[in-house]
Structure formats: C-alpha cells, structure tokens
C-alpha cells in the first residue's frame, strides 16, 4: 500500500486541564471523606446497636407492614386516580366538576389531617347503615369497628394519593396529540377503542416516571400512620427506643431500610421507563444517564491530570 493511500492515523484528543474543577473536586472529596470518617468513628451513634436492631423481628415486621400498606394504597390510588382523571376529561360538566372538586379538596388538605380525621370519624358518625327503599335497613355497623387504624390509614392515604395520581394520568393523556385520536376515529375505531389502543399506550410512557416518583413519596408518606398507632417501620422503631432510649441507632436503622427500599424502587422504575418508552430513545436510557454522566466526568478528570 502506498503512502498516499495509507489509513489515517487515529489521534487522541488531549483536553486542557481544568484546574478549578480539579481543586473543587479535591475539596469536595476531602469534605465527604472527612464526614464519613467522622460519623463512622463517632461512638455516640452506637453502631453495635444499629447492627443489632437492623434485622430485629419487630423492625422486619414493621417493614413488611410498610411495604404492604404502600402497595395497597398505590393500587387503590392508581385505579381511583385514573377514574377521576377520566371524569375530568369527560364531556359532562357534572362529572368534570365533581372530579375537579375532589382533586381540589384532597390535594389541598395535608395528609396528616386527613389521616387523623378518618381515624376519628366515629366521633361524628357512630354507625354505618345500608338502607334500601322498600326493604328497610339491611345491616348496621359500628364505625369504630369498621375503621381500624390500618383501615383508616388505607382510606386516608388512598384518597390523598388518588388526587395526585389523577393529575398525573390526566397530564399523560393530554400529552398525546389530539390528531392521534382523530386518525384512529377516521379508520373506523370507536372512541373507546381509540383511547385504549392508541392514546393509552402512548400516555403510559409519560405516566410511568411521575408514578414512580409518587410511589417513592408514598412509601415515605406511610411513616405518618404512626400517629394512628399502625405498627409500621417507624412505629416499631419508636416502640423500641421508647424502652431502651437508643433513639439515634433506631433512627439510623429506619433510615437505612427506607433508603434500601427506595433504591430498589428507583431501579425498578428505571427498567419500567426503559420498557414502556421503547419508542423514545431518551426514555430508554434516562435511568442510566446519571451513572453515565458520572463515569464520563471521572474519565475526563483523570485525563486532565
């Protein structure tokens, strides 16, 4: 092969060192390392007690209740929120107004107030009766027997979370261009078929990311049920440190389990986004973007040396 037809030589691009970024990274790394060493070497955190209570039966039982409560509330809130979102988008002004008022009330009142209200509903409504005209009263139940602390927590958190889910679903549906439904109707599809076959699959990719964030927020919101004596993770930790006075170690244990569950949920959310966002390259790779950016930053910092 002649010299003129030889393959071009690959050149390595050498970036100019950014000394300001390097100094800032060194300072931040030093401060982070100092903080970790300071916390890890502080005997007042009682790390032995943290290890002892990390897999304590009461803590694990509370964790299971927290996960179960989160799953039940998320399921109910998703179904109810979807129904409310469809009501808001309905052509009926009555349905749209009812849905708007529902979102306004349950999104505006703090979740803790709703939780305490449902827990004490028996003070104003002592009995729940089912009456059919012409047949009389079918049955009557005592409100306090029906609304146990766990039931009150499920109702309060579901109604509160459904208001946020309604807005998430509504925004996802509105994100699909109107022309998509019009094109489906022009092909002979009914309005229901156009929604479930054309609009809903596209809206799902926009609904998944905020729904994942809502699920993570709901997991942390369940810690409020300790105020109505539901034996969740936080309540279990409180019950222990109320006897042993090991407050900080138990709070560290609770924080560890919340962080662990949130980490797993975040990874699952990333895979869901990648699956339902296959038509969008950005959605497919969004979950790994922070890791790839961090890796690229470290490589550039190393090359700048």
């Amino acid at each position: 092969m002649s010299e003129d037809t030889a393959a071009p030589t690959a050149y390595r691009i050498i970036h100019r060192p950014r000394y300001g970024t390097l100094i800032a990274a060194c300072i931040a790394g030093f401060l982070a390392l100092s903080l970790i060493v300071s916390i890890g070497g502080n005997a007042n955190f009682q790390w032995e007690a943290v290890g002892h209570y990390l897999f304590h039966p009461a803590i694990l039982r509370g964790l299971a209740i927290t996960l179960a409560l989160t799953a039940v509330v998320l399921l109910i809130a998703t179904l109810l929120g979807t129904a409310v979102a469809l009501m808001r988008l309905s052509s009926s002004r009555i349905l749209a107004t009812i849905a708007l008022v529902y979102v306004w009330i349950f999104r505006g009142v703090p979740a803790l107030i709703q939780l305490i209200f449902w827990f004490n509903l028996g003070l104003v409504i002592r009995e729940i009766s089912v009456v059919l005209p012409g047949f009389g009263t079918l049955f009557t139940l005592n409100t306090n027997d029906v609304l146990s602390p766990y039931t009150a927590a499920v109702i309060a958190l579901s109604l509160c979370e459904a208001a946020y889910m309604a807005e998430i679903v509504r925004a996802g549906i509105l994100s699909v261009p109107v022309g998509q439904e019009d094109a489906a109707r022009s092909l002979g599809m009914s309005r229901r078929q156009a929604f479930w076959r054309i609009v809903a699959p596209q809206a799902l990719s926009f609904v998944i990311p905020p729904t994942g964030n809502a699920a993570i927020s709901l997991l942390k919101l369940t810690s409020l049920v300790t105020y109505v004596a539901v034996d969740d993770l936080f309540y279990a930790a409180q019950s222990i440190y109320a006897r042993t006075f090991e407050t900080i170690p138990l709070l560290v244990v609770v924080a560890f389990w919340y962080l662990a569950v949130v980490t797993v949920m975040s990874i699952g959310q990333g895979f869901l986004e990648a699956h339902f966002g296959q038509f969008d390259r950005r959605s497919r790779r969004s979950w790994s973007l922070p890791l790839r950016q961090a890796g690229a930053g470290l490589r550039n910092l190393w090359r700048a040396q």
Side-chain angles (χ1 to χ4, degrees), residues 111-204:
L112 181 58
I113 296 178
Q114 298 182 44
L115 182 63
I116 298 177
F117 171 81
W118 283 98
F119 181 68
N120 294 281
L121 188 63
L123 298 177
V124 292
I125 302 178
R126 301 185 182 278
E127 292 182 345
I128 300 175
S129 301
V130 176
V131 180
L132 288 179
F135 294 91
T137 303
L138 296 182
F139 61 86
T140 300
L141 297 175
N142 188 290
T143 304
N144 290 328
D145 295 337
V146 176
L147 289 178
S148 64
Y150 188 86
T151 305
V154 170
I155 294 175
L157 295 181
S158 297
L159 292 175
C160 179
E161 191 67 19
Y164 292 95
M165 286 301 304
E167 292 301 287
I168 291 174
V169 174
R170 186 175 71 92
I173 295 175
L174 292 178
S175 66
V176 180
V178 181
Q180 298 284 333
E181 182 178 358
D182 295 338
R185 295 293 299 275
S186 67
L187 294 176
M189 292 187 183
S190 64
R191 188 173 182 179
R192 180 176 299 178
Q193 290 175 330
F195 176 79
W196 289 111
R197 295 183 182 182
I198 305 299
V199 178
Q202 297 183 64
L204 195 60

XYZ file of all heavy atoms in Angstrom, residues 111-204:
719
model
N -51.998 15.527 54.358
C -52.286 14.101 54.529
C -52.456 13.733 56.001
O -53.276 12.872 56.342
C -51.175 13.262 53.903
N -51.687 14.369 56.881
C -51.790 14.046 58.309
C -53.160 14.414 58.856
O -53.741 13.661 59.653
C -50.688 14.779 59.081
C -50.650 14.526 60.591
C -50.484 13.039 60.877
C -49.541 15.331 61.248
N -53.708 15.548 58.417
C -55.043 15.945 58.868
C -56.088 14.964 58.362
O -57.011 14.580 59.093
C -55.345 17.378 58.396
C -54.377 18.363 59.063
C -56.790 17.758 58.696
C -54.567 19.786 58.628
N -55.960 14.542 57.109
C -56.899 13.551 56.580
C -56.803 12.241 57.352
O -57.822 11.594 57.640
C -56.608 13.307 55.101
C -56.775 14.530 54.212
C -56.529 14.213 52.756
O -57.001 13.189 52.239
N -55.796 15.072 52.060
N -55.594 11.849 57.679
C -55.389 10.597 58.403
C -56.049 10.645 59.773
O -56.772 9.711 60.166
C -53.896 10.334 58.539
C -53.472 9.037 59.232
C -53.937 7.833 58.439
C -51.957 9.006 59.400
N -55.840 11.711 60.514
C -56.433 11.839 61.854
C -57.949 11.973 61.759
O -58.689 11.460 62.605
C -55.807 13.040 62.593
C -54.302 12.803 62.784
C -56.469 13.266 63.936
C -53.576 13.960 63.429
N -58.430 12.637 60.710
C -59.880 12.786 60.532
C -60.553 11.432 60.347
O -61.557 11.127 61.011
C -60.164 13.686 59.326
C -61.617 13.730 58.939
C -62.497 14.546 59.607
C -62.102 12.947 57.900
C -63.842 14.597 59.263
C -63.439 12.976 57.540
C -64.317 13.804 58.223
N -60.028 10.607 59.445
C -60.637 9.304 59.210
C -60.507 8.402 60.432
O -61.389 7.582 60.702
C -60.007 8.633 57.996
C -60.492 9.204 56.700
C -59.877 10.133 55.922
C -61.727 8.894 56.048
N -60.635 10.423 54.822
C -61.777 9.676 54.869
C -62.778 8.034 56.339
C -62.847 9.612 53.991
C -63.849 7.969 55.456
C -63.884 8.743 54.302
N -59.424 8.536 61.174
C -59.245 7.724 62.377
C -60.278 8.074 63.440
O -60.702 7.202 64.218
C -57.831 7.922 62.920
C -57.529 7.112 64.148
C -57.431 5.739 64.079
C -57.354 7.737 65.372
C -57.158 4.980 65.213
C -57.074 6.990 66.503
C -56.977 5.613 66.428
N -60.699 9.337 63.481
C -61.670 9.792 64.488
C -63.062 9.999 63.895
O -63.879 10.722 64.481
C -61.192 11.103 65.121
C -59.925 10.925 65.933
O -59.940 10.455 67.065
N -58.788 11.306 65.352
N -63.335 9.395 62.754
C -64.638 9.571 62.118
C -65.773 9.069 62.999
O -66.897 9.574 62.928
C -64.663 8.845 60.766
C -65.894 9.081 59.891
C -65.997 10.552 59.493
C -65.851 8.192 58.652
N -65.489 8.081 63.864
C -66.520 7.543 64.744
C -67.068 8.552 65.724
O -68.136 8.330 66.316
N -66.381 9.673 65.915
C -66.874 10.699 66.836
C -68.068 11.446 66.272
O -68.902 11.962 67.024
C -65.749 11.702 67.156
C -64.518 11.126 67.860
C -63.463 12.202 68.038
C -64.902 10.523 69.211
N -68.180 11.516 64.944
C -69.289 12.243 64.317
C -70.263 11.305 63.607
O -71.443 11.630 63.460
C -68.744 13.294 63.320
C -68.015 14.404 64.054
C -67.812 12.654 62.293
N -69.783 10.168 63.148
C -70.650 9.167 62.525
C -70.471 7.871 63.319
O -69.495 7.144 63.126
C -70.296 8.949 61.038
C -70.400 10.268 60.272
C -71.215 7.897 60.417
C -70.010 10.159 58.807
N -71.393 7.615 64.204
C -71.223 6.485 65.119
C -71.608 5.154 64.500
O -71.110 4.103 64.920
C -72.042 6.723 66.395
C -71.636 8.005 67.124
C -72.369 8.160 68.433
N -71.997 9.396 69.091
C -70.905 9.561 69.826
N -70.084 8.542 70.002
N -70.649 10.730 70.386
N -72.503 5.173 63.510
C -72.958 3.936 62.887
C -72.996 4.101 61.378
O -73.267 5.194 60.865
C -74.350 3.535 63.393
C -74.376 3.127 64.854
C -75.763 2.687 65.288
O -76.731 2.977 64.539
O -75.890 2.065 66.357
N -72.706 3.014 60.678
C -72.800 2.976 59.220
C -73.917 1.992 58.857
O -73.831 0.798 59.179
C -71.469 2.534 58.585
C -70.355 3.507 58.958
C -71.603 2.423 57.072
C -68.993 3.076 58.462
N -74.964 2.503 58.208
C -76.128 1.682 57.888
C -76.338 1.643 56.377
O -76.071 2.626 55.674
C -77.395 2.235 58.562
O -77.233 2.286 59.976
N -76.804 0.507 55.905
C -77.166 0.332 54.497
C -78.673 0.147 54.434
O -79.214 -0.818 54.988
C -76.445 -0.876 53.870
C -76.918 -1.092 52.439
C -74.946 -0.676 53.920
N -79.351 1.103 53.767
C -80.807 1.114 53.711
C -81.248 1.034 52.267
O -80.751 1.793 51.410
C -81.377 2.389 54.376
C -82.905 2.379 54.313
C -80.900 2.509 55.814
N -82.178 0.124 51.964
C -82.775 0.014 50.640
C -84.242 0.411 50.725
O -84.976 -0.076 51.595
C -82.672 -1.418 50.101
C -81.278 -1.888 49.661
C -81.353 -3.323 49.176
C -80.724 -0.986 48.560
N -84.682 1.318 49.840
C -86.104 1.721 49.865
C -87.013 0.512 49.653
O -86.823 -0.269 48.726
C -86.204 2.719 48.697
C -84.800 3.221 48.499
C -83.907 2.057 48.837
N -87.988 0.385 50.504
C -88.933 -0.719 50.407
C -88.511 -1.950 51.184
O -89.340 -2.832 51.440
N -87.222 -2.041 51.544
C -86.738 -3.185 52.308
C -86.281 -2.812 53.712
O -86.145 -3.671 54.570
C -85.572 -3.864 51.571
C -85.974 -4.507 50.274
C -85.919 -3.799 49.087
C -86.434 -5.810 50.247
C -86.284 -4.376 47.887
C -86.806 -6.404 49.042
C -86.742 -5.684 47.862
N -86.029 -1.535 53.919
C -85.580 -1.101 55.229
C -84.070 -1.216 55.369
O -83.319 -1.304 54.380
N -83.622 -1.273 56.596
C -82.186 -1.339 56.895
C -81.674 -2.763 56.727
O -82.197 -3.693 57.352
C -81.914 -0.853 58.325
O -82.412 0.484 58.475
C -80.428 -0.866 58.628
N -80.676 -2.927 55.891
C -80.107 -4.256 55.675
C -79.174 -4.645 56.817
O -79.265 -5.747 57.360
C -79.355 -4.298 54.350
C -80.210 -4.081 53.086
C -79.355 -4.196 51.838
C -81.363 -5.093 53.039
N -78.277 -3.746 57.177
C -77.399 -4.017 58.311
C -76.830 -2.699 58.813
O -76.807 -1.682 58.101
C -76.268 -4.989 57.937
C -75.362 -4.482 56.854
C -74.261 -3.668 57.131
C -75.609 -4.814 55.527
C -73.450 -3.212 56.127
C -74.784 -4.352 54.512
C -73.704 -3.553 54.812
N -76.383 -2.725 60.049
C -75.799 -1.557 60.704
C -74.510 -1.977 61.389
O -74.478 -3.000 62.077
C -76.764 -0.948 61.740
O -77.977 -0.555 61.082
C -76.143 0.278 62.416
N -73.460 -1.177 61.179
C -72.160 -1.481 61.761
C -71.670 -0.293 62.584
O -71.947 0.867 62.243
C -71.126 -1.790 60.664
C -71.394 -3.004 59.785
C -70.347 -3.089 58.665
C -71.386 -4.278 60.610
N -70.981 -0.603 63.654
C -70.355 0.447 64.446
C -69.148 0.991 63.692
O -68.311 0.231 63.207
C -69.939 -0.116 65.813
C -69.455 0.980 66.742
O -68.392 1.561 66.555
N -70.243 1.251 67.771
N -69.052 2.297 63.583
C -67.983 2.916 62.799
C -66.608 2.567 63.339
O -65.670 2.296 62.576
C -68.159 4.442 62.771
O -69.460 4.754 62.269
C -67.107 5.091 61.881
N -66.462 2.554 64.652
C -65.157 2.233 65.242
C -64.751 0.787 64.980
O -63.556 0.475 64.939
C -65.180 2.500 66.748
C -65.236 3.982 67.062
O -64.691 4.796 66.324
N -65.923 4.335 68.144
N -65.740 -0.107 64.795
C -65.403 -1.495 64.463
C -64.924 -1.621 63.023
O -64.097 -2.486 62.706
C -66.629 -2.395 64.686
C -67.025 -2.462 66.157
O -66.152 -2.205 67.012
O -68.205 -2.753 66.435
N -65.453 -0.770 62.153
C -65.074 -0.826 60.733
C -63.755 -0.112 60.492
O -62.864 -0.624 59.807
C -66.188 -0.219 59.860
C -65.750 -0.184 58.388
C -67.472 -0.999 60.014
N -63.625 1.083 61.065
C -62.431 1.896 60.832
C -61.360 1.596 61.873
O -61.170 2.341 62.837
C -62.794 3.387 60.847
C -63.596 3.901 59.655
C -63.917 5.371 59.819
C -62.831 3.677 58.362
N -60.667 0.497 61.665
C -59.496 0.199 62.482
C -58.373 1.156 62.083
O -58.458 1.834 61.053
C -59.068 -1.247 62.271
O -58.664 -1.454 60.924
N -57.306 1.248 62.866
C -56.198 2.139 62.474
C -55.652 1.839 61.078
O -55.376 2.767 60.307
C -55.153 1.875 63.565
C -55.948 1.486 64.753
C -57.114 0.703 64.212
N -55.524 0.560 60.741
C -54.988 0.207 59.416
C -55.963 0.602 58.311
O -55.556 1.154 57.281
C -54.703 -1.292 59.367
C -53.980 -1.728 58.115
C -52.593 -1.668 58.036
C -54.682 -2.191 57.006
C -51.918 -2.064 56.893
C -54.022 -2.586 55.854
C -52.638 -2.519 55.807
O -51.979 -2.898 54.662
N -57.271 0.347 58.530
C -58.269 0.713 57.527
C -58.330 2.216 57.334
O -58.420 2.712 56.200
C -59.652 0.183 57.942
O -59.573 -1.227 58.175
C -60.683 0.456 56.868
N -58.288 2.965 58.438
C -58.302 4.421 58.339
C -57.077 4.926 57.579
O -57.171 5.869 56.781
C -58.346 5.041 59.742
N -55.930 4.294 57.804
C -54.712 4.690 57.090
C -54.836 4.419 55.603
O -54.446 5.246 54.776
C -53.512 3.947 57.670
N -55.388 3.256 55.241
C -55.558 2.918 53.824
C -56.510 3.900 53.144
O -56.236 4.403 52.047
C -56.072 1.473 53.677
C -56.494 1.195 52.236
C -55.002 0.483 54.101
N -57.629 4.210 53.789
C -58.606 5.120 53.190
C -58.022 6.518 53.032
O -58.114 7.134 51.963
C -59.891 5.164 54.051
C -60.593 3.799 54.026
C -60.827 6.251 53.555
C -61.800 3.721 54.928
N -57.409 7.025 54.092
C -56.885 8.390 54.058
C -55.781 8.547 53.022
O -55.802 9.472 52.202
C -56.382 8.786 55.445
N -54.820 7.650 53.043
C -53.699 7.760 52.102
C -54.139 7.489 50.671
O -53.615 8.107 49.725
C -52.582 6.798 52.504
C -51.898 7.093 53.849
C -50.794 6.080 54.114
C -51.334 8.504 53.874
N -55.091 6.578 50.474
C -55.575 6.288 49.114
C -56.294 7.492 48.521
O -56.067 7.855 47.359
C -56.503 5.078 49.132
O -55.829 3.922 49.561
N -57.173 8.118 49.299
C -57.893 9.282 48.797
C -56.950 10.442 48.521
O -57.111 11.171 47.529
C -58.962 9.707 49.817
C -60.125 8.730 50.008
C -61.043 9.214 51.121
C -60.907 8.540 48.718
N -55.959 10.621 49.395
C -54.997 11.698 49.199
C -54.120 11.446 47.973
O -53.934 12.332 47.126
C -54.128 11.847 50.452
S -52.873 13.144 50.338
N -53.596 10.229 47.852
C -52.707 9.911 46.745
C -53.455 9.857 45.423
O -52.886 10.173 44.365
C -52.029 8.565 47.009
C -50.887 8.233 46.077
C -49.688 9.142 46.253
O -49.594 9.785 47.314
O -48.854 9.208 45.329
N -54.744 9.485 45.444
C -55.527 9.416 44.207
C -55.670 10.787 43.566
O -55.747 10.902 42.334
C -56.905 8.818 44.493
N -55.705 11.842 44.385
C -55.801 13.192 43.829
C -54.561 13.530 43.004
O -54.661 14.144 41.932
C -55.985 14.207 44.957
N -53.388 13.128 43.494
C -52.154 13.372 42.739
C -52.064 12.464 41.513
O -51.622 12.889 40.440
C -50.940 13.144 43.643
C -50.812 14.169 44.740
C -51.328 13.925 46.006
C -50.185 15.384 44.517
C -51.227 14.868 47.019
C -50.066 16.327 45.526
C -50.590 16.068 46.765
O -50.485 17.000 47.768
N -52.493 11.205 41.668
C -52.472 10.291 40.531
C -53.421 10.742 39.430
O -53.147 10.542 38.237
C -52.839 8.873 40.994
C -51.760 8.158 41.780
S -50.223 7.972 40.844
C -50.803 7.135 39.383
N -54.532 11.360 39.812
C -55.468 11.863 38.809
C -54.813 12.918 37.926
O -54.986 12.920 36.697
C -56.704 12.440 39.500
N -54.045 13.801 38.535
C -53.359 14.826 37.753
C -52.250 14.230 36.893
O -51.992 14.689 35.781
C -52.787 15.889 38.691
C -53.857 16.727 39.380
C -54.741 17.457 38.385
O -54.263 18.438 37.775
O -55.900 17.033 38.188
N -51.582 13.193 37.401
C -50.536 12.538 36.620
C -51.131 11.861 35.388
O -50.622 12.008 34.265
C -49.785 11.518 37.493
C -48.961 12.240 38.569
C -48.874 10.630 36.647
C -48.295 11.304 39.560
N -52.219 11.121 35.590
C -52.857 10.423 34.470
C -53.438 11.427 33.476
O -53.327 11.257 32.252
C -53.942 9.466 34.999
C -54.714 8.845 33.840
C -53.313 8.372 35.855
N -54.060 12.482 33.985
C -54.638 13.490 33.098
C -53.559 14.156 32.242
O -53.745 14.367 31.043
C -55.387 14.545 33.915
C -56.141 15.567 33.081
C -56.933 16.491 33.982
N -56.044 17.379 34.708
C -55.689 18.595 34.292
N -56.139 19.055 33.127
N -54.897 19.350 35.021
N -52.416 14.480 32.874
C -51.327 15.087 32.118
C -50.780 14.123 31.070
O -50.426 14.535 29.954
C -50.213 15.514 33.068
N -50.711 12.827 31.402
C -50.243 11.839 30.432
C -51.164 11.720 29.238
O -50.709 11.620 28.090
N -52.474 11.752 29.482
C -53.433 11.653 28.382
C -53.375 12.899 27.502
O -53.392 12.813 26.263
C -54.857 11.441 28.933
C -54.947 10.080 29.644
C -55.894 11.522 27.818
C -56.273 9.839 30.326
N -53.267 14.063 28.139
C -53.218 15.312 27.370
C -51.908 15.473 26.604
O -51.834 16.287 25.680
C -53.413 16.507 28.310
C -54.803 16.645 28.947
C -54.833 17.848 29.878
C -55.883 16.763 27.882
N -50.875 14.706 27.004
C -49.598 14.807 26.288
C -49.647 14.158 24.910
O -48.786 14.421 24.066
C -48.485 14.152 27.116
O -48.697 12.749 27.238
N -50.639 13.309 24.669
C -50.794 12.662 23.357
C -51.526 13.632 22.429
O -52.605 14.132 22.782
C -51.579 11.344 23.481
C -51.730 10.678 22.121
C -50.885 10.413 24.459
N -50.977 13.922 21.270
C -51.636 14.875 20.356
C -53.051 14.426 20.005
O -53.336 13.233 19.862
C -50.732 14.867 19.122
C -49.392 14.421 19.625
C -49.689 13.456 20.739
N -53.936 15.417 19.867
C -55.334 15.116 19.541
C -55.447 14.436 18.183
O -56.357 13.628 17.946
C -56.158 16.423 19.558
C -57.627 16.135 19.242
C -56.043 17.100 20.911
N -54.515 14.719 17.285
C -54.555 14.109 15.968
C -54.451 12.598 15.991
O -54.912 11.928 15.059
N -53.849 12.045 17.030
C -53.749 10.590 17.147
C -55.140 9.967 17.267
O -55.457 8.977 16.601
C -52.897 10.224 18.359
C -51.459 10.704 18.302
C -50.637 9.855 17.363
O -50.918 8.690 17.140
N -49.590 10.456 16.806
N -55.970 10.539 18.120
C -57.329 10.020 18.279
C -58.159 10.279 17.033
O -58.960 9.423 16.616
C -57.996 10.665 19.495
C -59.401 10.138 19.765
C -60.023 10.761 20.992
O -59.342 11.572 21.660
O -61.198 10.444 21.282
N -57.982 11.444 16.428
C -58.739 11.749 15.215
C -58.388 10.772 14.091
O -59.271 10.325 13.338
C -58.447 13.181 14.769
C -58.952 14.210 15.775
O -59.851 13.858 16.559
O -58.444 15.345 15.769
N -57.099 10.432 13.979
C -56.693 9.476 12.941
C -57.294 8.102 13.201
O -57.721 7.405 12.267
C -55.169 9.387 12.892
N -57.326 7.699 14.474
C -57.921 6.401 14.806
C -59.418 6.396 14.523
O -59.970 5.398 14.019
C -57.658 6.079 16.276
N -60.099 7.513 14.821
C -61.538 7.573 14.550
C -61.818 7.551 13.049
O -62.832 6.991 12.605
C -62.119 8.862 15.159
C -62.042 8.930 16.678
C -62.944 7.891 17.323
N -64.328 8.100 16.978
C -65.152 8.933 17.618
N -64.681 9.641 18.635
N -66.402 9.061 17.259
N -60.899 8.139 12.270
C -61.094 8.136 10.819
C -60.943 6.746 10.224
O -61.419 6.478 9.119
C -60.101 9.099 10.162
O -58.771 8.619 10.321
N -60.250 5.853 10.962
C -60.097 4.471 10.493
C -61.254 3.580 10.913
O -61.243 2.379 10.645
C -58.786 3.890 11.037
C -57.498 4.543 10.516
C -56.283 3.932 11.210
C -57.385 4.388 9.011
N -62.236 4.147 11.571
C -63.418 3.386 11.945
C -63.443 2.929 13.397
O -64.372 2.212 13.790
N -62.469 3.313 14.193
C -62.458 2.925 15.601
C -63.466 3.765 16.379
O -63.683 4.941 16.068
C -61.072 3.129 16.220
C -60.004 2.191 15.699
S -58.453 2.391 16.646
C -57.393 1.252 15.761
N -64.037 3.135 17.394
C -64.886 3.896 18.292
C -64.012 4.732 19.219
O -62.789 4.583 19.256
C -65.767 2.949 19.121
O -64.965 2.131 19.967
N -64.651 5.611 19.965
C -63.865 6.466 20.872
C -63.164 5.635 21.935
O -62.034 5.910 22.302
C -64.784 7.495 21.523
C -64.038 8.544 22.338
C -64.974 9.630 22.807
N -64.236 10.653 23.545
C -64.796 11.736 24.068
N -66.111 11.932 23.921
N -64.068 12.617 24.723
N -63.844 4.606 22.426
C -63.232 3.739 23.444
C -62.062 2.960 22.860
O -61.004 2.839 23.488
C -64.289 2.778 23.996
C -63.753 1.826 25.061
C -64.869 0.969 25.624
N -65.902 1.794 26.248
C -67.006 1.302 26.789
N -67.227 -0.016 26.770
N -67.899 2.104 27.345
N -62.246 2.417 21.650
C -61.145 1.684 21.015
C -59.957 2.594 20.733
O -58.800 2.197 20.931
C -61.637 1.046 19.717
C -62.601 -0.103 19.901
C -63.132 -0.611 18.580
O -63.257 0.145 17.591
N -63.464 -1.899 18.524
N -60.217 3.819 20.294
C -59.128 4.757 20.019
C -58.361 5.084 21.289
O -57.132 5.221 21.263
C -59.686 6.028 19.392
N -59.085 5.178 22.403
C -58.402 5.512 23.656
C -57.508 4.373 24.120
O -56.331 4.574 24.436
C -59.435 5.854 24.738
C -58.821 6.112 26.083
C -58.225 7.334 26.358
C -58.817 5.124 27.065
C -57.651 7.578 27.599
C -58.248 5.358 28.304
C -57.661 6.588 28.567
N -58.058 3.151 24.176
C -57.302 2.025 24.735
C -56.223 1.505 23.784
O -55.222 0.957 24.243
C -58.257 0.888 25.105
C -59.106 1.212 26.294
C -60.455 1.433 26.312
C -58.666 1.385 27.645
N -60.878 1.723 27.580
C -59.804 1.696 28.424
C -57.423 1.297 28.275
C -59.733 1.921 29.787
C -57.349 1.533 29.633
C -58.491 1.834 30.378
N -56.396 1.675 22.480
C -55.416 1.134 21.532
C -54.393 2.165 21.061
O -53.284 1.788 20.685
C -56.150 0.561 20.309
C -57.034 -0.638 20.629
C -57.670 -1.188 19.365
N -58.566 -2.307 19.641
C -59.217 -2.996 18.713
N -59.090 -2.668 17.425
N -60.020 -3.997 19.045
N -54.766 3.426 21.087
C -53.876 4.457 20.538
C -53.395 5.420 21.621
O -52.183 5.623 21.806
C -54.582 5.255 19.416
C -55.100 4.297 18.327
C -53.640 6.289 18.843
C -54.016 3.494 17.640
N -54.311 6.014 22.352
C -53.956 7.067 23.308
C -53.298 6.496 24.556
O -52.231 6.959 24.977
C -55.200 7.896 23.674
C -54.840 8.966 24.712
C -55.790 8.547 22.438
N -53.915 5.478 25.160
C -53.415 4.947 26.432
C -51.983 4.408 26.344
O -51.159 4.706 27.219
C -54.367 3.866 26.953
N -51.625 3.606 25.312
C -50.230 3.131 25.248
C -49.204 4.245 25.151
O -48.118 4.149 25.726
C -50.222 2.241 23.993
C -51.637 1.814 23.805
C -52.455 2.980 24.244
N -49.538 5.316 24.434
C -48.603 6.430 24.326
C -48.556 7.244 25.615
O -47.492 7.719 26.029
C -48.996 7.336 23.151
C -48.920 6.654 21.798
C -49.243 7.612 20.667
O -48.530 8.577 20.429
N -50.341 7.349 19.968
N -49.707 7.403 26.250
C -49.739 8.161 27.501
C -49.003 7.432 28.617
O -48.483 8.063 29.541
C -51.192 8.421 27.913
N -48.939 6.095 28.520
C -48.312 5.316 29.579
C -46.849 5.666 29.760
O -46.336 5.693 30.882
C -48.475 3.821 29.275
C -48.194 2.851 30.431
C -49.130 3.132 31.590
C -48.346 1.415 29.962
